[in-house]
Amino acid sequence: MLFTLRLADHSDVSLLQKLIPLSVRELSRDVYTADQIESAIVHIFGVDTQLIDDQTYFVVEASGVIVGCGGWSKRKTLFGGDQTKSRHG
């Protein structure tokens, strides 16, 4: 299978908002309780559109389908997506 890496753009956001919770639930199920996983989805994991604007958020595609995402920030933020906008830049 061929994987490609590209910068995410705002047209990807709705799909990523579905992919991230699926990923968190699957990858965390053997480590965390269901309540912990759902709390992490609400408070920690999510799409950060500021990183898309900064061009530091990427998606990985397999056969044209997004299968992963992630990014980095030069800003003073520990974690979180748009749902945790109470941070300092």
Side-chain angles (χ1 to χ4, degrees):
M1 183 172 292
L2 179 64
F3 295 99
T4 54
L5 177 71
R6 67 169 173 80
L7 285 172
D9 62 49
H10 286 277
S11 68
D12 298 318
V13 170
S14 63
L15 187 114
L16 298 176
Q17 289 171 331
K18 296 173 186 169
L19 176 65
I20 291 170
L22 291 172
S23 176
V24 172
R25 287 183 184 109
E26 181 64 25
L27 296 174
S28 301
R29 66 185 170 142
D30 293 334
V31 181
Y32 299 104
T33 67
D35 287 343
Q36 289 170 322
I37 292 169
E38 294 309 311
S39 181
I41 290 168
V42 171
H43 299 289
I44 298 172
F45 296 105
V47 178
D48 187 335
T49 54
Q50 182 63 59
L51 299 184
I52 293 174
D53 292 339
D54 291 345
Q55 295 189 322
T56 59
Y57 201 80
F58 298 85
V59 297
V60 176
E61 294 179 326
S63 302
V65 176
I66 295 176
V67 296
C69 61
W72 62 274
S73 178
K74 61 185 176 223
R75 300 171 189 278
K76 295 177 184 176
T77 169
L78 296 176
F79 54 79
D82 288 347
Q83 77 276 19
T84 60
K85 284 297 187 187
S86 62
R87 53 184 184 247
H88 307 287

